[in-house]
């Protein structure tokens, strides 16, 4: 099966500092990949590149066989969406926030879809609440709801449960498992939390200074890491 | 004190008995400032939005010019428009069909547009710049095109745009220097509330001047109550 994403010598720099430098990376359709690594490793930049919010300075990123560039058709871009660590919601109620992406796609009457997703994330009673009045856990669940209601081919998650309480983390992880088990969505999770990666992902990668140091099936990544830096990171011995 | 109360009562009496001269002045004030605000909104809101959102060379210079424009003395604007439109001025001798004549309503509107546009643009710019920059990226991630994500930012800033319009209107409805210089306070054609107050004070008709002042205050109060109501509904 052709990979959903293929990166070839993809580089991204800011002010002369290389933030992403990936020789080769393939992400298979339907897989759940976790990317772990310390802050400043380039994980969030990688997600922005994969969501076509930025473009590599050199090298190529292919999505569904097409090179990422500003010319990439909107229909293809709309197959990929991100849940950010700090969600910014519209000054509107929860329901309209979740319906935003559907309406962009021309679906005006989408109450049923929106209500269904809100119900699955335990937000059913909050559909009329103003988004700005929500707690951080609720806001993050709304951000997840507005992404998954689109049924994206690829769901990118940037530390979606950072700073959340165990109840909200549990809800989000259950939903991610459910989405992945449905089999239609490729999930790429960026997380500091190695235990979360262990619980959810099929493959896990360690990213350091913009490079993928090691990528392997999750059990192998944690139980038998090949690279000493992966070993140090997994054992909590890495100083950064 | 008695004179003040008499003036207020006189103003109310003229207002509610439908005094034609007073209502003509009120309606002309609304017409001049309303037209000027509309034109300022059409120019100032997009300009403010662009300045709040887009980075380009020379932006700071334009921002500085707008901030300067927000504090323009009306009398200086009146003088500039007078020199522009007068028969011995820059555009006056050319007799161009689209150039308004002095001492007409269009000349007053032009002066007020010059006063209100920097206010509308400046407040809009601040409102747009205050929207979380991450919003645009997150809307694009949900499938918004560049134009759609810009629209989302403007929608987020709409409370600030309401404030911009109220600020613009407040700046022109109460000014006297510019409309006096380019309008001339001609009875029945260019006399507005502020110039009428000035005239009645000079004539010693303090009760009428106070009455007109009361009407002007009432108008300003109603505009602000309306804006506060809109803002309150959003919060």
């Amino acid at each position: 099966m052709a990979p959903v994403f293929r990166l070839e010598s993809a580089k991204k720099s800011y002010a002369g500092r290389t933030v992403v430098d990936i020789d080769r990376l393939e992400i298979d359709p339907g897989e759940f990949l976790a990317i772990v690594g310390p802050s400043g490793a380039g994980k969030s930049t990688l997600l922005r590149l994969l969501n076509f919010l930025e473009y590599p300075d050199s090298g190529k990123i292919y999505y569904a066989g097409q090179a990422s560039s500003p010319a990439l058709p909107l229909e293809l871009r709309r197959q990929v969406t991100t849940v950010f660590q700090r969600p910014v919601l519209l000054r509107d109620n929860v329901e309209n926030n979740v319906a935003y992406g559907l309406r962009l796609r021309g679906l005006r009457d989408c109450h049923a879809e929106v209500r269904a997703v809100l119900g699955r994330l335990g937000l059913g009673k909050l559909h009329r609440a103003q988004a700005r009045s929500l707690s951080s856990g609720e806001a993050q669940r709304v951000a997840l709801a507005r992404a998954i209601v689109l049924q994206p081919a690829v769901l990118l998650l940037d530390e979606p449960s950072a700073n959340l309480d165990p109840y909200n983390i549990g809800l989000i992880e259950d939903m991610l498992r459910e989405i992945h088990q449905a089999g239609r969505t490729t999930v790429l999770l960026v997380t500091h939390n190695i235990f979360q990666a262990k619980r959810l992902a099929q493959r896990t990668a360690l990213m350091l200074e913009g490079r993928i140091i090691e990528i392997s099936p999750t059990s192998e990544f944690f139980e038998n890491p090949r690279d000493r830096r992966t070993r140090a990171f997994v054992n909590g011995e890495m100083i950064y | 004190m008695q004179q003040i109360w008499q003036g207020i009562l006189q103003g109310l009496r003229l207002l509610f008995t439908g005094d034609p001269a007073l209502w003509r002045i009120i309606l002309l004030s609304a017409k001049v400032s309303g037209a000027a605000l509309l034109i300022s909104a059409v120019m100032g809101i997009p300009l403010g939005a662009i300045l709040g959102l887009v980075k380009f060379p020379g932006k700071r210079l334009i921002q500085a010019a707008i901030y300067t424009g927000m504090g323009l003395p009306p009398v200086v604007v009146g003088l500039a428009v007078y020199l522009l439109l007068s028969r011995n001025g820059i555009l006056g001798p050319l007799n161009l069909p689209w150039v308004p004549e002095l001492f007409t309503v269009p000349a007053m509107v032009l002066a007020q547009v010059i006063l209100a546009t920097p206010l509308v643009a400046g407040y809009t710019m601040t409102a747009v710049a205050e929207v979380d920059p991450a919003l645009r990226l997150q809307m694009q991630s949900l499938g918004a095109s560049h134009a759609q994500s810009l629209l989302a930012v403007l929608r987020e800033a709409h409370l600030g745009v309401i404030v911009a319009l109220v600020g613009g209107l407040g700046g022109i409805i109460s000014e006297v220097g510019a409309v006096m210089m380019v309008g001339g306070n001609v009875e029945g054609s260019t006399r507005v509330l502020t110039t009428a107050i000035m005239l009645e004070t000079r004539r010693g008709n303090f009760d009428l001047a106070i009455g007109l002042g009361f009407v002007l205050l009432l108008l300003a109060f109603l505009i602000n109550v309306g804006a506060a109501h809109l803002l309150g509904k959003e919060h």
Side-chain angles (χ1 to χ4, degrees):
Chain A
M1 204 183 292
V4 64
F5 275 111
R6 196 171 81 244
L7 283 74
E8 291 177 357
S9 309
K11 271 193 183 185
K12 182 75 186 172
S13 306
Y14 299 118
R17 182 177 160 250
T18 302
V19 183
V20 168
D21 182 3
I22 297 177
D23 268 351
R24 192 167 180 84
L25 174 65
E26 289 188 351
I27 301 169
D28 296 325
E31 85 161 305
F32 198 133
L33 172 67
I35 298 183
V36 296
S39 301
K43 308 185 296 295
S44 298
T45 306
L46 175 62
L47 289 194
R48 286 200 297 277
L49 290 168
L50 295 178
N51 200 177
F52 324 112
L53 299 172
E54 294 186 43
Y55 304 97
D57 299 328
S58 61
K60 294 280 184 195
I61 295 176
Y62 293 96
Y63 172 69
Q66 292 209 37
S68 168
S69 78
L72 195 73
L74 194 60
E75 295 73 45
L76 274 184
R77 293 165 181 274
R78 286 181 169 172
Q79 293 177 6
V80 183
T81 191
T82 303
V83 177
F84 294 86
Q85 181 179 353
R86 187 180 63 83
V88 181
L89 302 177
L90 295 167
R91 195 191 291 271
D92 207 331
N93 64 34
V94 167
E95 190 168 336
N96 286 335
N97 266 280
V98 177
Y100 178 78
L102 290 174
R103 288 182 181 145
L104 287 176
R105 287 156 177 81
L107 200 66
R108 308 308 302 174
D109 185 21
C110 49
H111 292 287
E113 291 90 335
V114 170
R115 295 281 174 92
V117 169
L118 288 175
R120 284 163 69 193
L121 279 161
L123 294 163
K125 287 180 181 168
L126 290 173
H127 67 280
R128 285 273 160 221
Q130 282 301 307
R132 302 278 163 114
S133 70
L134 302 176
S135 69
S136 56
E138 288 164 345
Q140 190 57 281
R141 280 188 277 150
V142 171
L144 184 59
R146 73 181 177 182
I148 63 174
V149 78
L150 304 173
Q151 300 187 330
V154 180
L155 179 63
L156 308 172
L157 302 132
D158 191 359
E159 302 274 6
S161 58
N163 311 320
L164 295 188
D165 57 81
Y167 171 75
N168 276 296
I169 293 174
L171 272 175
I172 286 174
E173 288 189 2
D174 286 346
M175 180 52 79
L176 294 180
R177 266 189 215 97
E178 200 181 307
I179 293 163
H180 180 240
Q181 278 159 11
R184 286 189 302 269
T185 307
T186 305
V187 184
L188 204 156
L189 168 72
V190 157
T191 181
H192 274 115
N193 185 338
I194 55 170
F195 301 106
Q196 189 170 53
K198 209 170 178 176
R199 284 194 294 270
L200 294 171
Q202 292 167 310
R203 283 201 300 165
T204 301
L206 173 68
M207 202 166 170
L208 275 182
E209 294 174 336
R211 294 167 188 270
I212 300 286
I213 301 298
E214 178 167 350
I215 180 165
S216 51
T218 298
S219 55
E220 197 180 313
F221 183 92
F222 285 100
E223 286 157 25
N224 192 19
R226 292 190 302 270
D227 192 280
R228 62 177 174 76
R229 289 165 292 182
T230 310
R231 224 172 2 256
F233 188 78
V234 166
N235 295 332
E237 294 159 1
M238 183 174 280
I239 296 166
Y240 50 83
Chain B
M1 190 65 195
Q2 197 184 356
Q3 197 173 35
I4 294 172
W5 281 114
Q6 261 179 4
I8 291 172
L9 290 174
Q10 167 83 336
L12 284 172
R13 191 178 57 76
L14 291 175
L15 191 65
F16 292 112
T17 54
D19 180 73
L22 177 68
W23 275 98
R24 202 164 41 240
I25 291 171
I26 293 173
L27 290 178
L28 186 63
S29 294
K31 187 175 152 188
V32 171
S33 297
L37 184 69
L38 189 72
I39 297 167
S40 302
V42 168
M43 296 193 298
I45 293 174
L47 176 64
I50 290 168
L51 288 169
L53 285 170
V54 186
K55 287 180 183 167
F56 57 89
K59 178 176 161 173
R60 287 195 174 191
L61 205 65
I62 297 175
Q63 281 176 325
I66 283 177
Y67 287 135
T68 309
M70 289 173 85
L72 275 181
V75 73
V76 173
V77 172
L79 175 66
V81 174
Y82 188 96
L83 293 175
L84 197 71
L85 303 183
S86 103
R87 294 221 172 269
N88 300 320
I90 300 163
L91 293 177
L94 302 177
N95 281 324
L96 297 168
W98 48 270
V99 175
E101 285 183 27
L102 272 179
F103 312 122
T104 61
V105 167
M108 294 159 77
V109 172
L110 175 64
Q112 291 204 342
V113 165
I114 295 171
L115 286 168
T117 303
L119 289 168
V120 174
Y123 288 131
T124 302
M125 177 174 70
T126 308
V128 167
E130 276 177 359
V131 174
D132 193 324
L135 179 85
R136 229 176 122 184
L137 213 62
Q138 298 198 11
M139 295 302 110
Q140 284 175 19
S141 144
L142 291 169
S145 63
H146 278 285
Q148 286 167 329
S149 67
L150 285 179
L151 213 62
V153 173
L154 284 182
R155 198 167 160 262
E156 284 300 287
H158 75 276
L159 294 180
V161 176
I162 293 173
V163 172
L165 293 174
V166 172
L169 187 57
I172 54 179
I173 198 142
S174 56
E175 72 84 20
V176 65
V179 284
M180 180 63 104
M181 286 185 83
V182 302
N185 193 29
V186 182
E187 187 176 7
S189 65
T190 62
R191 183 164 297 165
V192 290
L193 280 166
T194 50
T195 55
I197 292 167
M198 201 178 210
L199 180 76
E200 297 305 335
T201 307
R202 279 187 183 155
R203 281 177 174 169
N205 295 331
F206 295 113
D207 49 353
L208 186 56
I210 291 169
L212 289 165
F214 181 73
V215 171
L216 188 59
L217 278 176
L218 192 68
L219 271 178
F221 178 72
L222 290 176
I223 290 164
N224 282 289
V225 166
H229 177 68
L230 279 175
L231 296 173
K233 262 169 70 175
E234 294 291 336
H235 286 295

